[in-house]
Amino acid sequence: MRGRRVIVTSGPTIEPIDPVRFLSNRSSGRQGHAIAAAFAALGADVTLVSGPVAIPDPESVTTIHVETALEMLEAVTAALPADVFVGVAAVADWRPAEAAAQKLKGEKAAMASLTLTENPDILKTVAKLDQGRPALVIGFAAETHDVERHAREKLARKGCDWIVANDVSGDAMGGADNAAMLIGPDRAERWPRAPKAEIARRLAEAADLALARS
Ligand code: C5P
C-alpha cells in the first residue's frame, strides 16, 4: 500500500440538541481505528476521521477529530483524493433541525416536539462522486439476521464496491472481537469471529490485492 492514500471514518457522530444534550449512535471506534492502523501497517498514507471515542489515536495515522456528521463529511471531502475510502463510522442518520444555543428549559415541550432533519450519507456521497471517486469504496453494515441479503441490498443502495457485514447479534458492539462477511458483486467471504485487529488486517490485505490487480 506504499504510495496509496486511504481515508477511514470511525466512531459515532454526535448531533447537538443544546449545549448539554445530543443524539448519537453506539460505537466504540475500535473496528474503524483498527482498520486505519492495518492500512498504515501496510505502508499506506492514512487519514482517520473520527467522532468522539474513548480510545487513543492509532500510531502512524493522521487523525482528524470531529463531532457531527456534517463535520465528518467536510473532513472527508477535505482529505480526498484517496485510493480507498472505508466508512466504518456509525453516523447519526438524523440531527436536530436546530441546535439550541442555550440549555433547553421547559424540556417537555421542547423534547416532545424535537424536529429532526436528515444527515448526508457520507459513504453514498463518496461512492457516487463523479470526479475523484476512490478506486475502492468500502462500507460497513451491522446486521443481526439475513446478513448477506441485507449487505447486498446495501451495496446496491450505497453504490459502494464492498460491504463488510458485521453480525452484531452477539456482543460485537464495543467488544474486542467481530465476525464478518466481505461482500462484493462477485465475492462473499466469511471471516470467522476474530479480534477486530485481525478483521482489519484481512480487509487491508484484500484491498491491497484488489488495487494491485486493477
Ligand atoms: O445505512 P446504514 O447506516 O446502515 O449504512 C452503514 C454504512 O454507511 C456504514 O459504512 C456507515 O459508515 C455509512 N454511513 C455514512 N453516512 C451516514 C450513514 C451511514 O457514511 N449518514
Side-chain angles (χ1 to χ4, degrees):
M1 291 292 299
R2 214 159 284 286
R4 306 263 194 206
R5 288 181 42 78
V6 178
I7 303 171
V8 181
T9 67
S10 184
T13 66
I14 61 172
E15 311 294 334
I17 295 171
D18 68 16
V20 297
R21 304 186 180 89
F22 57 78
L23 299 178
S24 192
N25 283 335
R26 232 182 250 289
S27 171
S28 68
R30 281 174 154 195
Q31 186 63 80
H33 281 50
I35 287 168
F39 276 101
L42 294 186
D45 172 0
V46 182
T47 300
L48 173 65
V49 182
S50 178
V53 293
I55 57 175
D57 294 349
E59 280 172 33
S60 312
V61 164
T62 303
T63 304
I64 298 169
H65 296 274
V66 298
E67 294 199 333
T68 67
L70 290 175
E71 289 167 6
M72 186 171 274
L73 176 60
E74 199 178 303
V76 165
T77 305
L80 286 167
D83 301 284
V84 182
F85 174 79
V86 196
V88 197
V91 182
D93 293 320
W94 297 86
R95 67 175 183 275
E98 274 176 66
Q102 293 187 320
K103 185 177 175 187
L104 289 175
K105 302 289 180 191
E107 278 138 33
K108 245 186 182 167
M111 291 297 169
S113 62
L114 196 62
T115 306
L116 303 180
T117 187
E118 208 165 358
N119 266 331
D121 188 317
I122 298 167
L123 175 63
K124 197 168 168 180
T125 304
V126 173
K128 302 214 168 188
L129 280 175
D130 287 331
Q131 284 189 338
R133 182 193 190 274
L136 197 53
V137 177
I138 307 169
F140 266 68
E143 306 288 357
T144 54
H145 62 285
D146 281 342
V147 175
E148 185 170 351
R149 183 167 61 84
H150 287 131
R152 290 208 177 278
E153 284 168 10
K154 192 160 289 185
L155 198 63
R157 195 167 66 243
K158 304 266 188 176
C160 56
D161 302 298
W162 295 349
I163 286 276
V164 180
N166 274 355
D167 186 343
V168 293
S169 52
D171 66 346
M173 300 293 260
D177 291 354
N178 219 349
M181 278 190 86
L182 178 62
I183 310 281
D186 47 13
R187 71 159 84 203
E189 271 176 51
R190 206 173 281 279
W191 294 342
R193 194 179 168 78
K196 287 179 176 172
E198 173 64 16
I199 300 284
R201 191 184 58 77
R202 278 174 176 257
L203 183 64
E205 283 177 0
D208 188 19
L209 203 64
L211 289 178
R213 283 184 182 153
S214 68

